[in-house]
Amino acid sequence: MYIKFLDVLDRAHTGEVHKLKDWDLKIIASKVREKLKEHGLEKTIDTKNPINTDDGLADEFWKAGFELAVEVGMLCMSTDRVIRFAEEELKQCISDAPGEMTLGGGKDSFKVVTRKPSDGKHISPWLGAFGIALDESLYVPVTMANAQYKAIDATIPGTLKSIYGRPIRSRTPYETLGGNYEARLQKEAMKTINRPMMTAQGGCSAPTEYGNFGGVGVPGGADPKNNLNVALATSELKTDYALLHKVAHFINCETYVYGGHFSFIGGFAGPPEGAALTSIAAACLLVPVHQASFQYVPCLNTRDASNSGRETVWASSVGAQAISRNSHLLPGAVVNPVSGPGTEMLLQEITVSAMNAGVSGYSFSEGVRSAGGRYANYTSGLEAKYAAEVMRASTRLDREQVNSIVNELIPKFEDKLMNPPIGAPFQECVDVVTLQPKKEWQDLYNKYCKFLLDRGLDISVYPPSI
């Protein structure tokens, strides 16, 4: 792995030069348009069927996305150089990538496996407060409130607002200490909830690589072999030394890397078709550039930052189907609603995003960033439980069945995506002592369990973890 990664670093110093502005406005924008036109993929979005059902279309997107990865590569912003791979070289990297990974330990061990659309195989839910800022006093109870639900394989915790009352300032010793403090609090939460070997994502509170240096693979920190060691590339198709430092650190820890990349509709990639294309290219390039065993490549909409609207659901769906039908990679989705805890809209958005993840061939999904992560402490745990149950149960449906449910739900909230209800914070949704949802929130959860049961989906019954 050292030699492979050193080769990547060499290319970050010898590749052709491109300035950041030219990369975004000229290289990415023009090449995406070119590939869409060349493969007849322009205006192929079907908003009446947000979950793609055309396998041939997904396969054509794979061809175009792979070509984009080969011809464009990934820009290292620290050197203004392009890291690029020849076609056969990139194919070999993808072929060598794992198609199955085992995480966790003991009773909390689970596998992440290659899936195909609607294949009935287990999708792995990685869910929690997902980067939502949390008061120090709430960090442990919020983490426990999510980790208590056995439907969740791994937890994505929130972020600490402070360390012993002090702000965690980026790229300072506060951040280095904060990474370790966060890891210790995570361990406390997992031990208290009786899931001591549950996989979690460390470094969530780290705005840069320093939090990972202090919090992963050091005394008191997260065990790198049971941590989601994330290195999230910059959109579109960019990396830098901060990210490559993380990769180097994880290599030194002799563990895997969890690579990620968001593609944005309305950004440099352009329309939904363009975002789907860059998500496929990112999945391919993350394997060699970030040495990624997992490829987290969801699409979001720049207009509202959601992934529950028609355009974003379709882009994510066709991108995931392209990857899962044509490779054995382990692509990841996201549940990123814009509405907040305690609201009916939140459960509607989660249903749409989680079902998309379940039937489109994703291997795992992150979430739930309630209220788009805009408000401190706006999380409850129950939404993560619901998302896990929906995505896991929906793996046994076909895409036409899911489209029927999705088309029933989206009209209920799509006109609110720009101005969603923010809901209520943790303390108003959950009993802080028992960690159980308060009655009004539990009643809404029960309502949507029945909504799905009436349509033939019992979310209390789902494929077990493998």
Side-chain angles (χ1 to χ4, degrees):
M1 184 178 281
Y2 275 97
I3 300 301
K4 289 181 179 179
F5 188 58
L6 284 169
D7 181 58
V8 170
L9 296 179
D10 291 342
R11 297 182 196 210
H13 286 270
T14 59
E16 64 190 72
V17 175
H18 281 293
K19 295 298 182 182
L20 179 59
K21 184 176 180 180
D22 288 342
W23 179 264
D24 290 333
L25 298 177
K26 295 181 180 179
I27 303 300
I28 294 296
S30 64
K31 202 66 177 180
V32 167
R33 287 195 302 268
E34 175 188 317
K35 285 297 165 188
L36 291 176
K37 184 175 182 179
E38 180 182 332
H39 287 264
L41 298 174
E42 296 173 300
K43 298 181 180 179
T44 51
I45 184 173
D46 181 3
T47 55
K48 293 181 180 179
N49 292 289
I51 308 295
N52 176 60
T53 57
D54 185 340
D55 290 341
L57 182 65
D59 293 345
E60 197 63 37
F61 264 97
W62 169 260
K63 294 176 186 176
F66 179 80
E67 289 176 13
L68 181 67
V70 170
E71 295 174 24
V72 172
M74 188 173 284
L75 178 70
C76 178
M77 296 181 287
S78 301
T79 61
D80 292 328
R81 299 274 186 170
V82 179
I83 304 169
R84 187 174 286 137
F85 303 87
E87 179 179 346
E88 290 305 316
E89 189 179 19
L90 189 56
K91 283 182 179 178
Q92 189 62 52
C93 290
I94 293 169
S95 176
D96 292 342
E100 179 180 298
M101 292 285 288
T102 300
L103 300 176
K107 61 185 177 61
D108 288 312
S109 176
F110 64 95
K111 285 185 178 180
V112 186
V113 299
T114 298
R115 299 181 62 244
K116 305 297 180 189
S118 299
D119 66 359
K121 289 184 180 179
H122 166 72
I123 181 173
S124 187
W126 301 357
L127 307 171
F130 189 27
I132 295 168
L134 301 173
D135 294 341
E136 279 186 68
S137 61
L138 289 178
Y139 189 88
V140 169
V142 167
T143 304
M144 291 170 60
N146 284 275
Q148 68 180 320
Y149 296 118
K150 297 300 188 288
I152 299 169
D153 283 344
T155 187
I156 310 294
T159 64
L160 283 163
K161 290 171 62 179
S162 59
I163 172 172
Y164 292 99
R166 299 156 176 86
I168 301 176
R169 296 179 170 90
S170 175
R171 302 188 73 84
T172 72
Y174 291 102
E175 182 185 346
T176 306
L177 291 172
N180 199 274
Y181 181 49
E182 175 194 73
R184 292 172 186 271
L185 292 180
Q186 283 183 18
K187 288 180 180 180
E188 178 186 339
M190 301 309 182
K191 183 178 180 180
T192 305
I193 208 67
N194 196 28
R195 299 191 73 176
M197 294 299 292
M198 185 181 193
T199 297
Q201 181 175 313
C204 292
S205 305
T208 76
E209 68 273 28
Y210 285 85
N212 290 96
F213 294 162
V216 179
V218 297
D223 176 0
K225 290 183 170 58
N226 196 34
N227 181 61
L228 298 175
N229 306 301
V230 66
L232 188 65
T234 305
S235 306
E236 301 284 344
L237 306 182
K238 294 176 289 201
T239 189
D240 60 18
Y241 275 164
L243 290 163
L244 297 174
H245 264 305
K246 290 184 180 182
V247 175
H249 179 61
F250 300 145
I251 290 173
N252 284 341
C253 290
E254 299 181 347
T255 189
Y256 65 90
V257 181
Y258 167 29
H261 175 280
F262 284 100
S263 292
F264 285 94
I265 298 170
F268 300 119
E273 297 88 346
L277 208 61
T278 58
S279 73
I280 297 163
C284 296
L285 289 166
L286 284 168
V287 177
V289 177
H290 284 184
Q291 303 289 294
S293 296
F294 303 101
Q295 302 81 35
Y296 171 57
V297 286
C299 298
L300 293 179
N301 200 314
T302 57
R303 184 179 61 249
D304 51 43
S306 79
N307 76 323
S308 55
R310 294 177 188 275
E311 291 182 336
T312 324
V313 171
W314 181 88
S316 298
S317 172
V318 76
Q321 291 176 31
I323 297 164
S324 63
R325 282 178 50 81
N326 293 278
S327 76
H328 65 256
L329 296 178
L330 301 172
V334 70
V335 180
N336 195 75
V338 293
S339 51
T343 68
E344 193 162 1
M345 181 175 166
L346 177 62
L347 298 178
Q348 293 166 348
E349 287 191 86
I350 288 173
T351 305
V352 170
S353 297
M355 295 188 90
N356 184 16
V359 299
S360 290
Y362 285 108
S363 295
F364 66 95
S365 180
E366 278 203 356
V368 174
R369 187 184 282 125
S370 301
R374 298 187 304 276
Y375 306 99
N377 306 323
Y378 272 66
T379 181
S380 77
L382 185 63
E383 62 265 40
K385 176 180 187 287
Y386 179 72
E389 291 169 338
V390 172
M391 71 177 67
R392 293 176 68 171
S394 64
T395 60
R396 60 179 184 266
L397 299 182
D398 61 40
R399 286 170 282 176
E400 288 78 10
Q401 289 174 294
V402 173
N403 264 325
S404 176
I405 297 172
V406 165
N407 279 319
E408 185 177 352
L409 285 174
I410 289 180
K412 297 179 183 294
F413 64 78
E414 59 187 336
D415 62 341
K416 302 174 188 173
L417 287 171
M418 294 293 290
N419 187 29
I422 66 171
F426 181 76
Q427 307 94 309
E428 295 180 25
C429 293
V430 176
D431 184 309
V432 179
V433 176
T434 66
L435 303 181
Q436 297 307 299
K438 293 186 177 179
K439 184 178 185 305
E440 295 81 3
W441 190 208
Q442 182 68 47
D443 287 347
L444 273 178
Y445 163 87
N446 293 339
K447 175 181 177 179
Y448 276 86
C449 290
K450 184 176 185 303
F451 169 86
L452 290 172
L453 186 61
D454 290 345
R455 286 148 186 81
L457 185 66
D458 184 354
I459 67 171
S460 67
V461 179
Y462 42 75
S465 297
I466 300 170

